[in-house]
Amino acid sequence: MNDERLRKFAQRYAKAWCTQNPERVAAFFAENGSISINNGTPAIGRAAIAEEAQGFMTTFPDMVVTMDKIVHAEEGMKFRWTLTGTNTGPGGAGKRVRISGYELWKIDKGGLISESRGDFDSAEYEHQLKEGVNCR
């Protein structure tokens, strides 16, 4: 995938996270693609990936994910993102969150994500869920 197609793909992927439609996120993955977050157990297949996306969408009904950049890395394509939203989903504290991280992608021959390994600062995320983004 050339740089321009990759950039547009990543921008559309970020927008899919903002739709409150988890199947739109899953559509960017190969049929048996996977996503894992912070070295957790991978969600394998589009239905499982949609469930992962739904978790964030439920937690943050106003979630906005922006693409910070996409770069070629030795391990694959590195998609850097920032998530902002208010934790108003079930059991939420109503706190504003702003967290950045990345997904390391392997892209298949069909131009879809075959594997995504995501990472963000989970301690900072948990802190923001309880206290909000600008509390330190």
Side-chain angles (χ1 to χ4, degrees):
M1 188 179 296
N2 68 37
D3 288 348
E4 182 62 17
R5 282 190 59 208
L6 181 62
R7 185 182 62 76
K8 287 181 178 180
F9 179 87
Q11 287 173 332
R12 289 192 317 272
Y13 179 74
K15 286 180 183 177
W17 278 95
C18 305
T19 65
Q20 290 296 312
N21 183 340
E23 287 78 19
R24 287 194 179 173
V25 173
F28 283 83
F29 286 80
E31 186 102 9
N32 292 312
S34 67
I35 188 169
S36 62
I37 301 168
N38 288 346
N39 294 315
T41 302
I44 301 171
R46 288 184 181 148
I49 292 165
E51 284 182 34
E52 287 286 321
Q54 183 64 65
F56 284 96
M57 291 173 178
T58 299
T59 300
F60 303 105
D62 64 344
M63 177 172 65
V64 174
V65 174
T66 56
M67 179 186 83
D68 299 331
K69 66 180 174 178
I70 182 99
V71 296
H72 293 274
E74 187 174 312
E75 316 94 306
M77 304 301 167
K78 190 174 269 189
F79 169 70
R80 293 196 170 274
W81 51 264
T82 298
L83 177 154
T84 55
T86 309
N87 179 15
T88 56
K95 301 296 183 180
R96 192 91 175 127
V97 169
R98 179 180 174 87
I99 196 86
S100 295
Y102 69 87
E103 290 180 38
L104 187 60
W105 293 342
K106 290 184 181 175
I107 305 290
D108 72 5
K109 292 184 191 311
L112 296 172
I113 302 167
S114 61
E115 180 185 347
S116 173
R117 290 178 307 181
D119 188 71
F120 60 88
D121 184 334
S122 59
E124 179 62 21
Y125 175 73
E126 292 298 324
H127 173 77
Q128 289 184 26
L129 287 174
K130 293 176 187 149
E131 305 294 333
V133 68
N134 293 320
C135 59
R136 291 186 193 213

